[in-house]
Amino acid sequence: MLLVTLWSSLLALTAQGVAQDYGTSPPVYPSPPSTGIGWEVAFTQAQAFVSNLTLEEKAQLVTGTEGPCVGNIGGIPRVGFDGLCLQDGPLAIRQATYASVFPAGLTAAASWDRGLIYLRGLFLGAEFKGKGSHVALGPVVGPLGRSAYGGRGWESFSPDPYLTGVAAENTIWGMQRSGVQACLKHYIGNEQETHRNPALSPNGTTIEAVSSNIDDRTMHELYLWPFAHGVRAGTASIMCSYNRLNGSYGCQNSKTLNGLLKTELGFQGYVMSDWQATHAGVHAIKAGLDMDMPGSIGGLQNTSFFGGNVTRAIKNGTLDQDRLDDMARRIMTPYFYLNQNEYPPVDKTEPTLNSNYPPYDHPFTFGASNVDVRNGHGQLIRDIAAAGTVLLKNTNDALPLKAPKTLGVFGNDAGDLVNGQYFLTSAFQNPFGYEYGTLPIAGGSGTGRLSYLVSPLEALKARAALDGTLVQYILNNNLLTQPSGLGAIVPVPEVCLVFLKSWASEGSDRASLEADWDSSAVVSSVAAYCNNTVVITHSAGLNVMPWANNPNVTAILAAHLPGQESGNAIVDILYGTVNPSGKLPYTIALSESDYRFSDITNSTKLLETEDPNAWQSNFTEGLLIDYRHFDYYNKSVLYEFGFGLSYTTFDMFDLSTDMPNTTINPLPDSLPIAPGGNPSLWQIACTVNVTVMNTGDVAGAAVPQLYLSFPPIPSPMPTPLNVLRGFDKIWLEPSESQTASFLLTRRDLSYWNVETQEWVIPIGAFEVTVGFSSRDLWLKGQLTVTERD
Ligand SMILES: *[C@@H]1O[C@H](CO)[C@@H](O)[C@H](O)[C@H]1NC(C)=O
Ligand SMILES: *[C@@H]1O[C@H](CO)[C@@H](O)[C@H](O)[C@H]1NC(C)=O
Ligand SMILES: *[C@@H]1O[C@H](CO)[C@@H](O)[C@H](O)[C@H]1NC(C)=O
Ligand SMILES: *[C@@H]1O[C@H](CO)[C@@H](O)[C@H](O)[C@H]1NC(C)=O
Ligand SMILES: *[C@@H]1O[C@H](CO)[C@@H](O)[C@H](O)[C@H]1NC(C)=O
Ligand SMILES: *[C@@H]1O[C@H](CO)[C@@H](O)[C@H](O)[C@H]1NC(C)=O
Ligand SMILES: *[C@@H]1O[C@H](CO)[C@@H](O)[C@H](O)[C@H]1NC(C)=O
Ligand SMILES: *[C@@H]1O[C@H](CO)[C@@H](O)[C@H](O)[C@H]1NC(C)=O
Ligand SMILES: *[C@@H]1O[C@H](CO)[C@@H](O)[C@H](O)[C@H]1NC(C)=O
Ligand SMILES: *[C@@H]1O[C@H](CO)[C@@H](O)[C@H](O)[C@H]1NC(C)=O
Ligand SMILES: *[C@@H]1O[C@H](CO)[C@@H](O)[C@H](O)[C@H]1NC(C)=O
Ligand SMILES: CC(=O)N[C@H]1CO[C@H](CO)[C@@H](O)[C@@H]1O
């Protein structure tokens, strides 16, 4: 959602402007009506419900209004409908009291653990429901992570679409199992915060939001890929995004909404706009937008592109009644499917935590105040935080710690918060966030209100006391970077822990990929003094690590954004109570300049232009983002995608596949559309097995990963050398071995053929490699596909 209303003065928007120089979005009309596939009973209920509504009530049902929640659909007491309460966000019910703050999507992805990701969704969903919120605005798969600088990458999972797709579907299954509607966002191409919304040039011209210009193959194989998983998992809703695509706004682009989403992927739920991302009424509705959020234009009450305009458009004949009925049915079907006609009322306290104050135009029913929905979720939060911590370096078994006599703790990320426990407000509108206090989660609408936070220092003191360890600490980075800054530390600690952080927040992209607050100088200072320095990063995205090869830096842990149990989780890892098993869901390159292949479009000078289409982002790198880029150009990296150490060691052997040479129909069978697209794409084409063994002394989890290399593909675009197409997380006791099975679907083996507009399995030899990271590949096999006569 939009933070504050940065451009509330902008009302007149020339939304249909299309730059002739760029690819234009082809028109796809009419908007395909939902038939409730997979939700048949609920669809019938929705049909009956909608048939009973007046025109005005239907218009109300598709239009956001003032209310207690971040987004509100007013109740219709005449038919016993209490309305809908929509709340942020992807890692917590954002502004609520007595609610849990979970690890971020990025952390969940780094766990590579389907089970934990599912439980995260399940528990999150339960908290939303407990507070009376019908729709949780998450999970996030857009941004996917085209740019390492993206300010919201941490809300999402990974720049790899396969990993992100798996994480999204498990999150959605979990959330909706708890009875809350998921809203998968932001659809689509929302890969940067910079210029995400229109702005006025000094000359008074409206410069339209950045246009993500994405070719069709890249759209399908990268950015749309995880949305297909989400639709198949039955996400109730999808949020369209601020940016334009090929010159046409995300919330009125008939190609992406009517075409890709509602026809090709067979989406049966409803599309809601991001907050103030609606730029037209009838035009957007015809292009596939079903719900306008927050409903008003630029925050002005009683004006809407929907609302009264929908009623008028039906009456004057510019909009068909059928389309409005479809919108209303799309909204009500998941509501009935999840039995939300029996639902807890909205927590009475929440209104005071919102910017929307009563009285409201429509009635809302409130329940008790300050309902505690945490329900013991702290243990899962701690488990995921530890599982999403990646051990990158561990020289001479520096970790786990073995009852050190002395311990040093350094850096402004180690201690408790000093500026409050909620990171939404303008107090934190600084490119580096707040200076003192650990970073458990990042900022913006994807944040959460912490009901408590265990800081690393607090948890370390408690743990160190068990061994009688002397704990000394300096949390002031300014002091640490001065020549004799560590003078107070006596004696030199046996081990020095340095905590670094990198902030990010919705609304802006990251300015640097190094950790903030002079982090590299802090590491140098501590390492110059202490030859056993362990660096821990808390980061809203990836960090480059210029200090990684300093010989005195003996261990590195990327702890991502762990949520409220931060300190406990890092102590679990540091002391070996939990054996690290997280793997990088992105690549750490050698230097920041290595990421310049997909720059964010960023030109403040453009504000002086009068060209409304000045902000263009050409996705010229195509499929080659993150490891696909580094592999294709054969570039060395510091730590590759999928990498992460353990306190034990693993072996891998016995690759087998059930179809070494297979005769296959290269084209999927034409079956009726179902949510997720042509069902035959999801059929298992072949199975690959490997055996993994724990060859070390302690129990731990391995993450075998399967990468696929395609035979030559008839496409003018570069095809990645290797793509992730399978992973598993296997817990093994010492000497134990287990088989990992990777099920490859037809879609996994296909590329998107832009001429035939089909997924096609290329004829020829696929190379299958399995290993412990994208560059640590142990076993190789081949699948040869021959055409069926
Ligand atoms: C984007 O691509 C178009 C051609 O499709 C080209 O005219 C334009 O200059 C490119 N814009 C940028 C910013 O590279
Ligand atoms: C954008 O334009 C490219 C190039 O013409 C085309 O391949 C792609 O399908 C278009 N995408 C949309 C969403 O219009
Ligand atoms: C329409 O609403 C009225 C009033 O609540 C109710 O009695 C009636 O059963 C409803 N009809 C349908 C078809 O839902
Ligand atoms: C909006 O409309 C309602 C009734 O339709 C009215 O009570 C209220 O004063 C209006 N608000 C504004 C800001 O015009
Ligand atoms: C209808 O939409 C226009 C913008 O297209 C807006 O200015 C007007 O206020 C809207 N009318 C209502 C009743 O919301
Ligand atoms: C019908 O109403 C819609 C919504 O207010 C408006 O955009 C459109 O211009 C109107 N058309 C006519 C022919 O009056
Ligand atoms: C965008 O440009 C501004 C002004 O040059 C600069 O301060 C900022 O760091 C840039 N942001 C990114 C993400 O490159
Ligand atoms: C490593 O630590 C020792 C002190 O044990 C110090 O003398 C040396 O300069 C340090 N090296 C670096 C690269 O900081
Ligand atoms: C590391 O530092 C400790 C304490 O200062 C010292 O005793 C030890 O010799 C150093 N080790 C190396 C390899 O420099
Ligand atoms: C893979 O392992 C599963 C059970 O672990 C087994 O059922 C299947 O036959 C195996 N497939 C191959 C190709 O080895
Ligand atoms: C698969 O086919 C290839 C090429 O046709 C052949 O070289 C290979 O021996 C075959 N493998 C098996 C297991 O049949
Ligand atoms: C195209 C155009 O007229 N640009 C002008 C906009 O206004 C700035 C000053 O505010 C001028 O420098 C530009 O030349």
Side-chain angles (χ1 to χ4, degrees), residues 300-303 360-361:
L300 296 180
Q301 242 187 316
N302 294 353
T303 66
Y360 310 122
D361 289 353

Side-chain angles (χ1 to χ4, degrees), residues 203-224:
N203 312 57
T205 308
T206 297
I207 313 299
E208 305 293 350
V210 67
S211 177
S212 295
N213 302 319
I214 311 177
D215 69 86
D216 196 31
R217 186 174 166 207
T218 300
M219 175 63 94
H220 281 82
E221 294 183 29
L222 272 190
Y223 300 101
L224 190 62

Side-chain angles (χ1 to χ4, degrees), residues 15-16 28-34 55 58-64 240 248-259 261-262 269-273 277-293 295 297 304-331:
Q16 292 157 66
V28 181
Y29 296 100
S31 193
S34 162
L55 173 58
K58 290 175 194 170
Q60 180 190 320
L61 189 59
V62 302
T63 310
C240 52
S248 168
Y249 273 99
C251 290
Q252 62 190 65
N253 187 313
S254 67
K255 168 70 179 171
T256 56
L257 299 178
N258 288 341
L261 184 59
K262 290 185 174 177
Y270 58 98
V271 176
M272 74 168 76
S273 68
T278 306
H279 297 298
V282 173
H283 183 75
I285 289 170
K286 289 186 172 172
L289 180 63
D290 301 303
M291 180 191 278
D292 180 25
M293 276 293 156
I297 302 177
S304 179
F305 287 114
F306 279 36
N309 275 316
V310 169
T311 319
R312 254 180 65 194
I314 297 278
K315 285 185 176 153
N316 75 14
T318 48
L319 187 62
D320 288 343
Q321 178 72 45
D322 286 354
R323 173 68 184 114
L324 179 58
D325 287 347
D326 174 48
M327 293 157 74
R329 280 192 303 260
R330 282 177 176 274
I331 292 166

Side-chain angles (χ1 to χ4, degrees), residues 392-395 523-524 527 533 535 544-556 588-591 636-639:
L392 295 171
K393 181 178 182 181
N394 194 15
T395 311
V523 176
S524 301
T533 295
V535 182
V544 291
M545 302 180 168
W547 33 260
N549 293 322
N550 181 325
N552 289 358
V553 173
T554 50
I556 303 173
I588 299 183
L590 289 171
S591 80
S636 300
V637 301
L638 183 61
Y639 301 118

Side-chain angles (χ1 to χ4, degrees), residues 358-383:
Y360 310 122
D361 289 353
H362 301 285
F364 287 91
T365 314
F366 293 105
S369 296
N370 290 311
V371 177
D372 190 337
V373 293
R374 293 171 295 179
N375 204 22
H377 295 160
Q379 184 60 49
L380 178 82
I381 290 169
R382 179 174 179 166
D383 292 346

